[in-house]
Amino acid sequence: MIVTWRGLDVLRGIGVFGVVLMHTAFFHFDGVWDIDFAHPPLVITVIGFLLMFAGLFAMVSGCGHTVRFAQRQATGEGLARTLASRAVAGLYVLVVAYAYFVFTGPGLVHFETQSWNQSILVELIGSGRFPGFSAERLLYVDSLVMIGSNAILIGLFLALGQRLARRHGVSAGLAGGAALVALLVSLARIPLYEVYVTALDQGDGVAIIGLNWLVNKNNPLLPYLAFGLFGSWVGLTLRQRGKGGLVRVVALGALLLGAGLVLYFVLPSTMLERSIDFTWYAIMVTQAGLFLLFVALAVWLYDLRPGAAAQRLGRVSRFFARFGVAGLTVYFLESLVSAGVFRGLRAVWPGLRLGTLAAVGAGVLFALAWGLALVLWERSGYRFGLERLYCRVMDSVGGSAKRAKLEAGRR
């Protein structure tokens, strides 16, 4: 029997909704070059913080992959086949990731030159110019690259743990210890990032390839493998202990949140400068704790609270859950759609400028519009989406639990 936690879909969906909102708000904000990073407006600080929420996706993904891994092993499936399923899942996301960031993804901002490095189709829509293939975009570690690489590495970790544990399965303690070690080792990103930047300046291809996924901006394995492993720990803890495991998740989340906040407030504030320093590390520790609390709350509300599993999701929860089920397609297309809409708006209103509040308002409207589109698309079982293609690919290695979710709203 395949058991999925609805709370993870709702939480993932809220994250995707937030990404659509923030991408639109930030990338169509006309005052971006005038931001005073020494004294930024509160809304800009909030947007900057939310744009660093990739760890939530890593944690939710790690939890989901681990639960699926454990369920397949419990049926007696061979370890090699279960491992292959995680590898195929990760490779699929990686293929989508590079297609996304090269062709349809959002722009990379360069404050020093006040310029954007846009994806190919977004630049074609915005200016009619073909920008060519950018090495910067190919090397950039966006959230999908992080999720795909995490899926493969967590699958390897679980397979190794399963082999060591044999009949007893992977222990939650092993996953939790690995997550804490990975978070601590992530301090190494601070000096290694400087090594990577130097390698870029000198054209040292070996060092660039060796360090790119590990330390490059924006979502490298250090520290995001730790977030994935924390998700793995949550999945194993709740699977093995049920509601009793939530106490442990909340306790660790509160501990990391408190430790991260203490570090953040005693260190210089460099968040909006996107520096890789000890303040950055404090933010990562804070977010690890915060996201653990988010996951615990979501699973409690929608799955483990008495009577929750038997209740239908309310309208608001279903609205966000659709983003959690079919969010990959939305994520892949949202920058393309917003570029087309704003190209049309500026054609009929050349003087259109979006200040801070107008940009945030536009982000909200775009995210809501995508939500309404998902309501309609759900009726067809999300036909022709990237999630459908994912299920077809996964059929070769035992299938995916996502297929049932895609079919659930079909009419």
Side-chain angles (χ1 to χ4, degrees):
M1 178 182 179
I2 296 175
V3 178
T4 59
W5 288 331
R6 298 181 302 171
L8 295 184
D9 287 332
V10 175
L11 187 58
R12 185 190 297 110
I14 292 172
V16 175
F17 180 91
V19 166
V20 175
L21 192 163
M22 294 302 162
H23 276 182
T24 303
F26 183 76
F27 296 110
H28 295 285
F29 170 46
D30 287 302
V32 66
W33 311 124
D34 302 321
I35 297 174
D36 179 5
F37 287 103
H39 304 91
L42 176 61
V43 67
I44 297 299
T45 302
V46 171
I47 289 176
F49 188 71
L50 292 178
L51 286 172
M52 300 173 71
F53 262 42
L56 178 61
F57 295 109
M59 194 174 289
V60 170
S61 175
C63 186
H65 280 298
T66 300
V67 170
R68 184 69 175 127
F69 185 100
Q71 289 172 344
R72 291 177 67 145
Q73 282 294 284
T75 66
E77 181 179 70
L79 184 57
R81 185 170 175 82
T82 305
L83 176 59
S85 73
R86 297 311 93 196
V88 170
L91 288 171
Y92 179 85
V93 175
L94 286 174
V95 170
V96 172
Y98 284 104
Y100 163 75
F101 219 67
V102 170
F103 292 103
T104 69
L108 299 177
V109 61
H110 296 295
F111 287 103
E112 65 279 6
T113 59
Q114 295 193 358
S115 62
W116 294 91
N117 180 338
Q118 300 281 16
S119 59
I120 290 175
L121 294 180
V122 169
E123 182 66 33
L124 280 171
I125 291 172
S127 68
R129 183 181 68 86
F130 178 74
F133 293 91
S134 164
E136 181 185 16
R137 296 190 73 86
L138 286 171
L139 292 173
Y140 193 86
V141 186
D142 84 309
S143 57
L144 288 181
V145 173
M146 175 267 293
I147 290 171
S149 57
N150 260 10
I152 295 171
L153 292 176
I154 288 175
L156 288 170
F157 166 78
L158 292 171
L160 178 60
Q162 184 75 21
R163 180 60 61 89
L164 293 174
R166 297 185 181 179
R167 291 184 304 173
H168 302 292
V170 184
S171 72
L174 179 64
L180 291 171
V181 169
L183 186 61
L184 182 61
V185 170
S186 296
L187 279 167
R189 188 190 176 201
I190 297 172
L192 284 176
Y193 181 69
E194 295 302 321
V195 174
Y196 181 79
V197 171
T198 301
L200 283 175
D201 293 339
Q202 296 177 351
D204 185 346
V206 174
I208 291 171
I209 294 173
L211 292 174
N212 185 56
W213 276 14
L214 195 64
V215 302
N216 190 21
K217 288 187 176 180
N218 201 32
N219 306 306
L221 292 172
L222 297 181
Y224 289 102
L225 179 58
F227 284 77
L229 287 169
F230 278 123
S232 186
W233 171 73
V234 171
L236 291 169
T237 298
L238 297 184
R239 179 176 172 80
Q240 294 165 8
R241 296 178 178 272
K243 284 185 281 190
L246 282 175
V247 176
R248 297 190 174 205
V249 177
V250 170
L252 181 58
L255 179 63
L256 289 173
L257 177 62
L261 287 174
V262 169
L263 285 173
Y264 181 77
F265 285 113
V266 301
L267 292 168
S269 179
T270 58
M271 184 186 78
L272 290 177
E273 298 174 19
R274 309 299 293 276
S275 299
I276 307 303
D277 54 15
F278 287 104
T279 300
W280 159 82
Y281 185 75
I283 293 172
M284 294 300 101
V285 175
T286 301
Q287 289 189 339
L290 183 63
F291 299 158
L292 283 170
L293 296 177
F294 284 172
V295 169
L297 178 61
V299 173
W300 166 253
L301 285 176
Y302 294 101
D303 302 283
L304 298 181
R305 179 173 52 86
Q311 295 176 358
R312 289 176 56 87
L313 292 179
R315 288 186 178 181
V316 174
S317 298
R318 286 187 64 196
F319 177 86
F320 288 116
R322 293 187 189 96
F323 281 95
V325 171
L328 183 60
T329 302
V330 174
Y331 189 79
F332 191 85
L333 296 176
E334 55 94 9
S335 293
L336 208 60
V337 171
S338 68
V341 170
F342 275 96
R343 175 69 186 269
L345 284 174
R346 288 191 165 95
V348 299
W349 187 358
L352 175 66
R353 287 183 58 81
L354 297 185
T356 304
L357 294 180
V360 172
V364 172
L365 288 176
F366 267 84
L368 290 174
W370 274 110
L372 294 176
L374 287 174
V375 171
L376 300 176
W377 194 25
E378 181 187 38
R379 298 174 182 177
S380 70
Y382 302 103
R383 291 182 66 190
F384 309 118
L386 290 172
E387 292 77 11
R388 276 285 178 184
L389 179 58
Y390 171 78
C391 290
R392 293 184 63 183
V393 170
M394 291 299 292
D395 283 342
S396 63
V397 285
S400 169
K402 184 173 284 289
R403 185 181 295 277
K405 298 178 183 180
L406 296 175
E407 294 286 351
R410 184 187 284 274
R411 296 183 183 177

